[in-house]
Amino acid sequence: MSDLENGTGGQHNREQTQQNLIEATGRVILRNGFSALGINSIASEAGVSKVLIYRYFGDLNGLLKAYVMSRDYLLSQGLDKLGNSEMPVAQLLKSVISEQIRHLRSNPELQEILRWELVVKNEVTDYVDQIREQQSVAMLEKLKKQYPSAEFDVEVIASLLSSGIYYLVLRSGTTSLFNNINIASDEGWSRIEKTIDSLIDLLLTLVMNGNKK
Amino acid sequence: MSDLENGTGGQHNREQTQQNLIEATGRVILRNGFSALGINSIASEAGVSKVLIYRYFGDLNGLLKAYVMSRDYLLSQGLDKLGNSEMPVAQLLKSVISEQIRHLRSNPELQEILRWELVVKNEVTDYVDQIREQQSVAMLEKLKKQYPSAEFDVEVIASLLSSGIYYLVLRSGTTSLFNNINIASDEGWSRIEKTIDSLIDLLLTLVMNGNKK
DNA sequence: TTTTGATGTTACCGAATAGTTACATACTTT
DNA sequence: AAAGTATGTAACTATTCGGTAACATCAAAA
């Protein structure tokens, strides 16, 4: 009665059905975004009765909660690296940024979640919010402790960079040109990365000099 | 038969009804965003039959097109300033950025349009796209000509700044904290502005030195 | 005055929505 | 084997959606 001792496989398997619904949710989101998301579309995508959504998840929000929690999209992007690594700071920061770009660009479902967060506020988006806020703030704290700067507002600079990346990636879903930059191609993004790298170098040397004085 | 020689005022006035529908569209967008936008909601908001939307605008897209074209939200934000002004460049760029922030933050309808552009691609969003792309590219061209930099990719830096501002403003609609920055308050935004200002100063001095050498 | 065309509303259609009730099937326990 | 329980589906309600057809009202032209 407890967990996995059900051997039928096909039907009459609650866990499997739940998983099926969660993954169907992902597919519908991937196909149409959150706007066209609904009980009916998910149930039909899963090939299952929508009653089961209500029975197992309470309502659509419950299912979305389970869906979001089943994905670890925005977890541990180089958080552990920082502070434990042997790399020089500049290189470390660059790799964190580069990884963030790669991660976001290669995860369309995450992109849809971010779009959703821009439009809707509810308990599910609040949950996602909270996780990312925790993680990025923790990372920034480490950075600030190791490389304090009196002249530059590290939090704001990091936020502007992250936000810029966010927006450009999300925007690349509906257009390919932003200020003549091809945000839909790898070339465009390596151009962006390169520029961010030089910015990091520049700022970092300033911080170093400022600290030495 | 031509234009405005209709004196009844109340009913049976096509132009007035059209304007009524366009402004009702704005109110519905302001209230619920583009997701909840529909023929029925707009017609009911305007207090008018939805048949008139089809008759006068063809379909919802036609009405949205008329709505978007009736707003000049993203026009002439300091485009003319650049190149004609007597201000020093640094100050000029700062004022352009500052104006962009103020403009976007104080126009919730524009924010909704930007959210819409992130989610939907159609002829209307393409139209908005095209306008902004034209304007910002023209502005960047002027800037590049007057202050060419071999070491920095001006377009990318400007795009990252704009995009960052975009994202943070849009994000402030559903949350108030981003990396511990209060993006819902004037204080948070003056903090952001101040940081951008120092960035501009820094980059500009580098460009100057690079050019003198 | 009568006719014509534009402006407007009401009422309807089929499809899709969220949510519920009633019933069927299959497995577990007694 | 029988009873009970968990898993599943089909069918139904009520509402809302976009879209259309039929009808009413008003103003200007013949």
Side-chain angles (χ1 to χ4, degrees), chain A residues 35 112 114-121 125-126 129 132-133 136-137 140-141 151-153 155-168 170-171 173-175 177-181 188 191-193 195-196 198-199 202-203 206, chain B residues 35 112 114-121 125-126 129 132-133 136-137 140-141 151-153 155-168 170-171 173-175 177-181 188 191-193 195-196 198-199 202-203 206:
Chain A
S35 49
E112 289 302 330
L114 292 184
R115 290 194 178 92
W116 192 38
E117 283 191 275
L118 286 178
V119 176
V120 174
K121 176 173 179 56
T125 56
D126 282 348
D129 249 43
R132 192 177 37 260
E133 181 74 9
S136 46
V137 164
L140 279 176
E141 281 305 315
E151 9 185 3
F152 284 104
D153 193 327
E155 274 165 352
V156 170
I157 292 181
S159 301
L160 279 171
L161 283 183
S162 295
S163 301
I165 292 172
Y166 280 179
Y167 188 85
L168 291 179
L170 298 187
R171 199 66 182 75
T174 46
T175 195
L177 277 189
F178 189 95
N179 287 2
N180 263 337
I181 303 168
R191 190 178 154 196
I192 295 175
E193 265 193 53
T195 304
I196 294 182
S198 2
L199 261 183
L202 173 61
L203 291 172
L206 284 197
Chain B
S35 50
E112 291 301 330
L114 293 185
R115 289 193 180 92
W116 192 39
E117 282 190 276
L118 286 178
V119 177
V120 174
K121 174 170 179 60
T125 56
D126 281 348
D129 249 42
R132 192 177 39 259
E133 181 73 9
S136 45
V137 164
L140 278 176
E141 281 306 316
E151 9 187 4
F152 285 103
D153 192 329
E155 273 166 352
V156 170
I157 291 181
S159 302
L160 279 171
L161 284 182
S162 295
S163 301
I165 292 171
Y166 279 1
Y167 187 85
L168 291 178
L170 298 188
R171 199 67 183 76
T174 46
T175 195
L177 277 189
F178 189 95
N179 288 1
N180 263 338
I181 304 169
R191 191 180 153 193
I192 294 175
E193 266 194 52
T195 304
I196 294 181
S198 356
L199 262 182
L202 173 61
L203 291 172
L206 285 196

Side-chain angles (χ1 to χ4, degrees), chain A residues 29 37 41 79 83 89 104 161 191:
Chain A
I29 289 173
L37 201 59
S41 56
L79 210 183
V89 224
L104 183 54
L161 283 183
R191 190 178 154 196

